[in-house]
Short mmCIF file of all heavy atoms in Angstrom, two decimals:
data_model
loop_
_atom_site.label_atom_id
_atom_site.label_comp_id
_atom_site.label_asym_id
_atom_site.label_seq_id
_atom_site.Cartn_x
_atom_site.Cartn_y
_atom_site.Cartn_z
N SER N 74 -2.89 -10.21 -4.54
CA SER N 74 -3.52 -11.40 -5.10
C SER N 74 -3.11 -12.61 -4.24
O SER N 74 -2.11 -12.57 -3.53
CB SER N 74 -3.13 -11.61 -6.57
OG SER N 74 -1.75 -11.81 -6.72
N CYS N 75 -3.92 -13.66 -4.33
CA CYS N 75 -3.90 -14.71 -3.31
C CYS N 75 -2.56 -15.39 -3.11
O CYS N 75 -2.02 -15.41 -2.00
CB CYS N 75 -4.96 -15.76 -3.64
SG CYS N 75 -6.65 -15.13 -3.67
N ALA N 76 -1.99 -15.99 -4.16
CA ALA N 76 -0.78 -16.79 -3.96
C ALA N 76 0.43 -15.95 -3.53
O ALA N 76 1.11 -16.34 -2.57
CB ALA N 76 -0.46 -17.58 -5.26
N PRO N 77 0.72 -14.82 -4.17
CA PRO N 77 1.86 -14.03 -3.69
C PRO N 77 1.69 -13.50 -2.28
O PRO N 77 2.63 -13.44 -1.49
CB PRO N 77 1.94 -12.88 -4.70
CG PRO N 77 1.26 -13.37 -5.91
CD PRO N 77 0.16 -14.28 -5.41
N SER N 78 0.45 -13.10 -1.92
CA SER N 78 0.19 -12.59 -0.60
C SER N 78 0.45 -13.66 0.46
O SER N 78 1.15 -13.43 1.46
CB SER N 78 -1.25 -12.11 -0.51
OG SER N 78 -1.52 -11.58 0.79
N ARG N 79 -0.08 -14.85 0.24
CA ARG N 79 0.06 -15.93 1.22
C ARG N 79 1.49 -16.46 1.27
O ARG N 79 2.00 -16.85 2.35
CB ARG N 79 -0.95 -17.03 0.91
CG ARG N 79 -2.37 -16.55 1.15
CD ARG N 79 -3.44 -17.41 0.43
NE ARG N 79 -4.76 -16.78 0.56
CZ ARG N 79 -5.62 -17.03 1.56
NH1 ARG N 79 -5.29 -17.90 2.50
NH2 ARG N 79 -6.77 -16.41 1.61
N ALA N 80 2.19 -16.46 0.13
CA ALA N 80 3.59 -16.86 0.15
C ALA N 80 4.43 -15.90 0.96
O ALA N 80 5.35 -16.30 1.67
CB ALA N 80 4.12 -16.95 -1.29
N ALA N 81 4.13 -14.59 0.85
CA ALA N 81 4.87 -13.61 1.65
C ALA N 81 4.61 -13.82 3.14
O ALA N 81 5.53 -13.74 3.95
CB ALA N 81 4.44 -12.19 1.22
N LEU N 82 3.37 -14.09 3.49
CA LEU N 82 3.03 -14.36 4.89
C LEU N 82 3.82 -15.56 5.43
O LEU N 82 4.35 -15.53 6.54
CB LEU N 82 1.52 -14.65 4.99
CG LEU N 82 1.00 -15.27 6.29
CD1 LEU N 82 1.09 -14.28 7.44
CD2 LEU N 82 -0.42 -15.77 6.12
N LEU N 83 3.88 -16.62 4.63
CA LEU N 83 4.43 -17.90 5.13
C LEU N 83 5.92 -18.04 4.92
O LEU N 83 6.51 -19.06 5.32
CB LEU N 83 3.68 -19.06 4.47
CG LEU N 83 2.19 -19.15 4.85
CD1 LEU N 83 1.46 -20.14 3.95
CD2 LEU N 83 2.03 -19.55 6.32
N THR N 84 6.57 -17.02 4.33
CA THR N 84 8.03 -17.03 4.21
C THR N 84 8.68 -15.82 4.89
O THR N 84 9.89 -15.86 5.16
CB THR N 84 8.48 -17.03 2.74
OG1 THR N 84 8.04 -15.82 2.10
CG2 THR N 84 7.93 -18.23 2.00
N GLY N 85 7.92 -14.75 5.10
CA GLY N 85 8.50 -13.54 5.62
C GLY N 85 9.32 -12.77 4.59
O GLY N 85 10.06 -11.84 4.91
N LEU N 86 9.17 -13.16 3.30
CA LEU N 86 9.92 -12.56 2.21
C LEU N 86 8.97 -11.98 1.19
O LEU N 86 7.91 -12.52 0.92
CB LEU N 86 10.78 -13.62 1.50
CG LEU N 86 11.94 -14.21 2.31
CD1 LEU N 86 12.47 -15.47 1.62
CD2 LEU N 86 13.07 -13.18 2.46
N MET N 87 9.36 -10.85 0.59
CA MET N 87 8.58 -10.24 -0.47
C MET N 87 8.62 -11.09 -1.74
O MET N 87 9.52 -11.93 -1.90
CB MET N 87 9.10 -8.83 -0.75
CG MET N 87 8.87 -7.84 0.38
SD MET N 87 7.14 -7.48 0.72
CE MET N 87 6.67 -6.56 -0.75
N PRO N 88 7.65 -10.91 -2.65
CA PRO N 88 7.56 -11.77 -3.84
C PRO N 88 8.82 -11.88 -4.66
O PRO N 88 9.18 -12.99 -5.12
CB PRO N 88 6.41 -11.15 -4.62
CG PRO N 88 5.51 -10.57 -3.57
CD PRO N 88 6.47 -10.03 -2.54
N SER N 89 9.53 -10.78 -4.88
CA SER N 89 10.76 -10.86 -5.70
C SER N 89 11.80 -11.76 -5.07
O SER N 89 12.62 -12.36 -5.77
CB SER N 89 11.36 -9.46 -5.91
OG SER N 89 10.51 -8.66 -6.69
N ARG N 90 11.78 -11.87 -3.75
CA ARG N 90 12.80 -12.68 -3.05
C ARG N 90 12.35 -14.09 -2.78
O ARG N 90 13.19 -14.98 -2.65
CB ARG N 90 13.19 -11.97 -1.74
CG ARG N 90 13.92 -10.64 -1.98
CD ARG N 90 14.55 -10.13 -0.70
NE ARG N 90 15.57 -11.05 -0.22
CZ ARG N 90 15.88 -11.21 1.07
NH1 ARG N 90 15.24 -10.51 2.00
NH2 ARG N 90 16.82 -12.04 1.43
N ASN N 91 11.03 -14.33 -2.70
CA ASN N 91 10.61 -15.71 -2.44
C ASN N 91 10.25 -16.45 -3.74
O ASN N 91 10.11 -17.67 -3.72
CB ASN N 91 9.47 -15.79 -1.41
CG ASN N 91 8.14 -15.27 -1.92
OD1 ASN N 91 7.73 -15.51 -3.06
ND2 ASN N 91 7.42 -14.55 -1.06
N GLY N 92 10.09 -15.73 -4.84
CA GLY N 92 9.84 -16.36 -6.13
C GLY N 92 8.38 -16.45 -6.54
O GLY N 92 8.08 -16.77 -7.70
N ALA N 93 7.46 -16.14 -5.63
CA ALA N 93 6.03 -16.20 -5.95
C ALA N 93 5.56 -14.81 -6.32
O ALA N 93 5.06 -14.05 -5.48
CB ALA N 93 5.23 -16.75 -4.77
N GLU N 94 5.70 -14.45 -7.61
CA GLU N 94 5.34 -13.11 -8.05
C GLU N 94 3.95 -13.03 -8.67
O GLU N 94 3.09 -12.31 -8.17
CB GLU N 94 6.40 -12.57 -9.00
CG GLU N 94 7.75 -12.35 -8.30
CD GLU N 94 8.72 -11.60 -9.19
OE1 GLU N 94 8.60 -10.35 -9.30
OE2 GLU N 94 9.65 -12.25 -9.75
N PRO N 95 3.66 -13.76 -9.76
CA PRO N 95 2.28 -13.71 -10.29
C PRO N 95 1.38 -14.62 -9.46
O PRO N 95 1.85 -15.47 -8.70
CB PRO N 95 2.44 -14.26 -11.70
CG PRO N 95 3.60 -15.20 -11.62
CD PRO N 95 4.55 -14.59 -10.62
N ASN N 96 0.08 -14.41 -9.60
CA ASN N 96 -0.86 -15.28 -8.88
C ASN N 96 -0.71 -16.72 -9.38
O ASN N 96 -0.34 -16.95 -10.53
CB ASN N 96 -2.30 -14.79 -9.09
CG ASN N 96 -3.21 -15.30 -7.98
OD1 ASN N 96 -2.74 -15.74 -6.93
ND2 ASN N 96 -4.50 -15.24 -8.20
N HIS N 97 -1.01 -17.65 -8.47
CA HIS N 97 -0.91 -19.10 -8.70
C HIS N 97 0.53 -19.62 -8.69
O HIS N 97 0.73 -20.82 -8.86
CB HIS N 97 -1.60 -19.52 -10.01
CG HIS N 97 -3.04 -19.10 -10.09
ND1 HIS N 97 -4.03 -19.69 -9.38
CD2 HIS N 97 -3.61 -18.09 -10.79
CE1 HIS N 97 -5.19 -19.11 -9.63
NE2 HIS N 97 -4.96 -18.10 -10.47
N SER N 98 1.51 -18.73 -8.49
CA SER N 98 2.90 -19.18 -8.38
C SER N 98 3.19 -19.58 -6.94
O SER N 98 2.40 -19.32 -6.04
CB SER N 98 3.86 -18.09 -8.86
OG SER N 98 3.73 -16.93 -8.08
N ARG N 99 4.33 -20.22 -6.74
CA ARG N 99 4.69 -20.71 -5.41
C ARG N 99 6.12 -20.25 -5.05
O ARG N 99 6.94 -20.03 -5.92
CB ARG N 99 4.57 -22.23 -5.35
CG ARG N 99 5.02 -22.88 -6.62
CD ARG N 99 4.90 -24.39 -6.68
NE ARG N 99 3.73 -25.03 -6.21
CZ ARG N 99 2.60 -25.24 -6.92
NH1 ARG N 99 2.50 -24.76 -8.17
NH2 ARG N 99 1.59 -25.91 -6.41
N PRO N 100 6.40 -20.15 -3.76
CA PRO N 100 7.77 -19.78 -3.36
C PRO N 100 8.74 -20.91 -3.62
O PRO N 100 8.35 -22.06 -3.74
CB PRO N 100 7.63 -19.49 -1.86
CG PRO N 100 6.49 -20.34 -1.44
CD PRO N 100 5.54 -20.37 -2.59
N ARG N 101 10.01 -20.58 -3.73
CA ARG N 101 11.03 -21.60 -4.01
C ARG N 101 11.07 -22.65 -2.89
O ARG N 101 10.93 -22.34 -1.71
CB ARG N 101 12.40 -20.94 -4.16
CG ARG N 101 12.50 -20.03 -5.39
CD ARG N 101 13.94 -19.63 -5.66
NE ARG N 101 14.54 -18.99 -4.49
CZ ARG N 101 14.37 -17.70 -4.19
NH1 ARG N 101 13.60 -16.93 -4.92
NH2 ARG N 101 14.98 -17.19 -3.12
N ALA N 102 11.30 -23.88 -3.28
CA ALA N 102 11.23 -25.02 -2.34
C ALA N 102 12.26 -24.91 -1.22
O ALA N 102 12.02 -25.34 -0.10
CB ALA N 102 11.40 -26.32 -3.12
N GLU N 103 13.43 -24.35 -1.53
CA GLU N 103 14.51 -24.36 -0.54
C GLU N 103 14.34 -23.31 0.55
O GLU N 103 15.05 -23.35 1.58
CB GLU N 103 15.86 -24.13 -1.24
CG GLU N 103 16.12 -22.73 -1.77
CD GLU N 103 15.60 -22.52 -3.19
OE1 GLU N 103 14.79 -23.34 -3.66
OE2 GLU N 103 16.00 -21.52 -3.83
N ILE N 104 13.38 -22.41 0.40
CA ILE N 104 13.19 -21.36 1.41
C ILE N 104 12.51 -21.96 2.65
O ILE N 104 11.57 -22.73 2.56
CB ILE N 104 12.30 -20.24 0.83
CG1 ILE N 104 13.06 -19.48 -0.26
CG2 ILE N 104 11.90 -19.24 1.92
CD1 ILE N 104 12.21 -18.47 -1.00
N LYS N 105 13.00 -21.57 3.82
CA LYS N 105 12.39 -22.04 5.07
C LYS N 105 11.03 -21.37 5.22
O LYS N 105 10.89 -20.16 5.09
CB LYS N 105 13.30 -21.70 6.26
CG LYS N 105 12.81 -22.30 7.58
CD LYS N 105 13.84 -22.08 8.69
CE LYS N 105 13.39 -22.75 9.98
NZ LYS N 105 14.39 -22.61 11.08
N LYS N 106 10.02 -22.19 5.51
CA LYS N 106 8.64 -21.70 5.61
C LYS N 106 8.22 -21.64 7.08
O LYS N 106 8.85 -22.20 7.98
CB LYS N 106 7.69 -22.63 4.85
CG LYS N 106 8.14 -23.10 3.48
CD LYS N 106 8.33 -21.97 2.50
CE LYS N 106 8.42 -22.47 1.03
NZ LYS N 106 9.55 -23.38 0.78
N LEU N 107 7.13 -20.95 7.31
CA LEU N 107 6.66 -20.70 8.69
C LEU N 107 6.54 -21.98 9.54
O LEU N 107 7.00 -21.99 10.69
CB LEU N 107 5.33 -19.94 8.67
CG LEU N 107 4.75 -19.55 10.02
CD1 LEU N 107 4.04 -18.20 9.96
CD2 LEU N 107 3.79 -20.60 10.56
N PRO N 108 5.93 -23.07 9.04
CA PRO N 108 5.81 -24.24 9.91
C PRO N 108 7.14 -24.72 10.46
O PRO N 108 7.22 -25.12 11.64
CB PRO N 108 5.17 -25.29 8.99
CG PRO N 108 4.36 -24.47 8.03
CD PRO N 108 5.21 -23.26 7.77
N ALA N 109 8.20 -24.69 9.65
CA ALA N 109 9.50 -25.20 10.11
C ALA N 109 10.06 -24.41 11.30
O ALA N 109 10.67 -24.99 12.20
CB ALA N 109 10.51 -25.19 8.95
N TYR N 110 9.84 -23.09 11.29
CA TYR N 110 10.31 -22.27 12.41
C TYR N 110 9.73 -22.77 13.73
O TYR N 110 10.44 -22.82 14.76
CB TYR N 110 9.92 -20.80 12.21
CG TYR N 110 10.75 -20.07 11.18
CD1 TYR N 110 10.34 -19.97 9.85
CD2 TYR N 110 11.95 -19.44 11.54
CE1 TYR N 110 11.10 -19.29 8.92
CE2 TYR N 110 12.71 -18.76 10.61
CZ TYR N 110 12.28 -18.68 9.29
OH TYR N 110 13.02 -17.99 8.38
N PHE N 111 8.45 -23.12 13.73
CA PHE N 111 7.77 -23.50 14.96
C PHE N 111 7.94 -24.98 15.27
O PHE N 111 7.98 -25.36 16.45
CB PHE N 111 6.30 -23.08 14.87
CG PHE N 111 6.13 -21.59 14.89
CD1 PHE N 111 6.10 -20.87 13.71
CD2 PHE N 111 6.04 -20.90 16.09
CE1 PHE N 111 5.98 -19.49 13.71
CE2 PHE N 111 5.92 -19.52 16.12
CZ PHE N 111 5.90 -18.81 14.92
N GLN N 112 8.05 -25.80 14.26
CA GLN N 112 8.33 -27.22 14.49
C GLN N 112 9.68 -27.39 15.17
O GLN N 112 9.83 -28.27 16.04
CB GLN N 112 8.28 -27.98 13.17
CG GLN N 112 6.86 -28.13 12.64
CD GLN N 112 6.80 -28.41 11.14
OE1 GLN N 112 7.79 -28.23 10.43
NE2 GLN N 112 5.64 -28.81 10.65
N ASP N 113 10.64 -26.54 14.84
CA ASP N 113 11.95 -26.59 15.49
C ASP N 113 11.86 -26.31 16.98
O ASP N 113 12.73 -26.72 17.75
CB ASP N 113 12.90 -25.58 14.85
CG ASP N 113 13.34 -25.94 13.44
OD1 ASP N 113 13.10 -27.10 13.04
OD2 ASP N 113 13.91 -25.08 12.74
N LEU N 114 10.79 -25.61 17.38
CA LEU N 114 10.61 -25.29 18.81
C LEU N 114 9.72 -26.30 19.53
O LEU N 114 9.43 -26.13 20.71
CB LEU N 114 9.98 -23.89 18.95
CG LEU N 114 10.76 -22.73 18.32
CD1 LEU N 114 9.96 -21.42 18.49
CD2 LEU N 114 12.14 -22.60 18.95
N GLY N 115 9.27 -27.31 18.82
CA GLY N 115 8.42 -28.35 19.42
C GLY N 115 6.95 -28.15 19.22
O GLY N 115 6.13 -28.85 19.83
N TYR N 116 6.55 -27.20 18.37
CA TYR N 116 5.14 -26.96 18.11
C TYR N 116 4.55 -27.98 17.14
O TYR N 116 5.25 -28.51 16.27
CB TYR N 116 4.96 -25.58 17.47
CG TYR N 116 4.88 -24.42 18.42
CD1 TYR N 116 6.03 -23.80 18.90
CD2 TYR N 116 3.65 -23.90 18.83
CE1 TYR N 116 5.98 -22.71 19.74
CE2 TYR N 116 3.59 -22.82 19.68
CZ TYR N 116 4.74 -22.21 20.15
OH TYR N 116 4.67 -21.14 20.99
N GLU N 117 3.26 -28.21 17.29
CA GLU N 117 2.46 -28.84 16.27
C GLU N 117 1.90 -27.72 15.41
O GLU N 117 1.33 -26.75 15.95
CB GLU N 117 1.32 -29.67 16.87
CG GLU N 117 0.47 -30.37 15.82
CD GLU N 117 -0.65 -31.20 16.45
OE1 GLU N 117 -1.02 -30.94 17.61
OE2 GLU N 117 -1.17 -32.09 15.76
N VAL N 118 2.06 -27.79 14.09
CA VAL N 118 1.66 -26.71 13.21
C VAL N 118 0.62 -27.24 12.21
O VAL N 118 0.94 -28.12 11.39
CB VAL N 118 2.86 -26.11 12.48
CG1 VAL N 118 2.45 -24.85 11.72
CG2 VAL N 118 3.98 -25.77 13.45
N VAL N 119 -0.59 -26.71 12.27
CA VAL N 119 -1.74 -27.31 11.59
C VAL N 119 -2.46 -26.26 10.77
O VAL N 119 -2.53 -25.08 11.14
CB VAL N 119 -2.70 -27.94 12.62
CG1 VAL N 119 -3.98 -28.42 11.97
CG2 VAL N 119 -1.99 -29.09 13.34
N SER N 120 -3.01 -26.68 9.64
CA SER N 120 -3.73 -25.78 8.74
C SER N 120 -5.06 -26.39 8.32
O SER N 120 -5.11 -27.55 7.91
CB SER N 120 -2.85 -25.53 7.50
OG SER N 120 -3.61 -25.00 6.43
N PHE N 121 -6.11 -25.59 8.40
CA PHE N 121 -7.42 -25.97 7.88
C PHE N 121 -7.90 -24.86 6.95
O PHE N 121 -7.87 -23.69 7.28
CB PHE N 121 -8.46 -26.13 9.01
CG PHE N 121 -8.44 -27.48 9.68
CD1 PHE N 121 -7.52 -27.75 10.68
CD2 PHE N 121 -9.33 -28.46 9.31
CE1 PHE N 121 -7.50 -28.98 11.29
CE2 PHE N 121 -9.31 -29.71 9.92
CZ PHE N 121 -8.41 -29.97 10.92
N GLY N 122 -8.35 -25.25 5.75
CA GLY N 122 -8.91 -24.29 4.82
C GLY N 122 -7.86 -23.65 3.93
O GLY N 122 -6.76 -24.19 3.72
N LYS N 123 -8.20 -22.49 3.38
CA LYS N 123 -7.33 -21.79 2.45
C LYS N 123 -6.29 -20.97 3.24
O LYS N 123 -6.57 -19.88 3.70
CB LYS N 123 -8.14 -20.88 1.52
CG LYS N 123 -7.28 -20.26 0.42
CD LYS N 123 -8.11 -19.39 -0.50
CE LYS N 123 -7.23 -18.72 -1.56
NZ LYS N 123 -8.00 -17.77 -2.41
N VAL N 124 -5.12 -21.52 3.36
CA VAL N 124 -4.02 -20.88 4.09
C VAL N 124 -2.91 -20.54 3.09
O VAL N 124 -2.59 -19.39 2.86
CB VAL N 124 -3.53 -21.75 5.25
CG1 VAL N 124 -2.30 -21.15 5.92
CG2 VAL N 124 -4.66 -21.93 6.26
N GLY N 125 -2.32 -21.58 2.46
CA GLY N 125 -1.56 -21.33 1.24
C GLY N 125 -2.57 -21.13 0.13
O GLY N 125 -3.79 -21.02 0.35
N HIS N 126 -2.10 -21.08 -1.10
CA HIS N 126 -3.03 -20.93 -2.23
C HIS N 126 -3.59 -22.30 -2.60
O HIS N 126 -3.01 -23.03 -3.41
CB HIS N 126 -2.33 -20.27 -3.41
CG HIS N 126 -3.29 -19.89 -4.50
ND1 HIS N 126 -3.46 -20.64 -5.62
CD2 HIS N 126 -4.14 -18.84 -4.61
CE1 HIS N 126 -4.36 -20.07 -6.41
NE2 HIS N 126 -4.80 -18.98 -5.82
N TYR N 127 -4.71 -22.65 -1.97
CA TYR N 127 -5.42 -23.90 -2.23
C TYR N 127 -4.47 -25.11 -2.13
O TYR N 127 -3.89 -25.34 -1.07
CB TYR N 127 -6.14 -23.86 -3.58
CG TYR N 127 -7.18 -22.76 -3.66
CD1 TYR N 127 -7.07 -21.75 -4.61
CD2 TYR N 127 -8.24 -22.72 -2.78
CE1 TYR N 127 -8.01 -20.71 -4.69
CE2 TYR N 127 -9.19 -21.71 -2.85
CZ TYR N 127 -9.08 -20.72 -3.80
OH TYR N 127 -10.01 -19.71 -3.86
N ALA N 128 -4.27 -25.85 -3.25
CA ALA N 128 -3.51 -27.10 -3.22
C ALA N 128 -2.04 -26.90 -2.89
O ALA N 128 -1.34 -27.88 -2.58
CB ALA N 128 -3.64 -27.81 -4.56
N GLN N 129 -1.55 -25.66 -2.89
CA GLN N 129 -0.17 -25.41 -2.49
C GLN N 129 0.02 -25.56 -0.98
O GLN N 129 1.16 -25.70 -0.51
CB GLN N 129 0.25 -23.99 -2.89
CG GLN N 129 0.31 -23.73 -4.37
CD GLN N 129 0.71 -22.30 -4.68
OE1 GLN N 129 1.18 -21.56 -3.79
NE2 GLN N 129 0.52 -21.86 -5.91
#
Side-chain angles (χ1 to χ4, degrees):
S74 62
C75 298
S78 181
R79 293 161 188 270
L82 166 70
L83 294 168
T84 64
L86 293 165
M87 293 294 291
S89 293
R90 294 192 63 210
N91 71 41
E94 294 190 78
N96 202 17
H97 305 286
S98 61
R99 38 182 44 86
R101 294 191 304 278
E103 71 272 16
I104 293 173
K105 187 173 184 178
K106 316 298 195 299
L107 183 145
Y110 285 94
F111 292 90
Q112 288 159 346
D113 289 348
L114 301 178
Y116 275 85
E117 181 180 20
V118 189
V119 173
S120 163
F121 276 83
K123 187 179 178 184
V124 174
H126 189 259
Y127 300 119
Q129 295 179 14

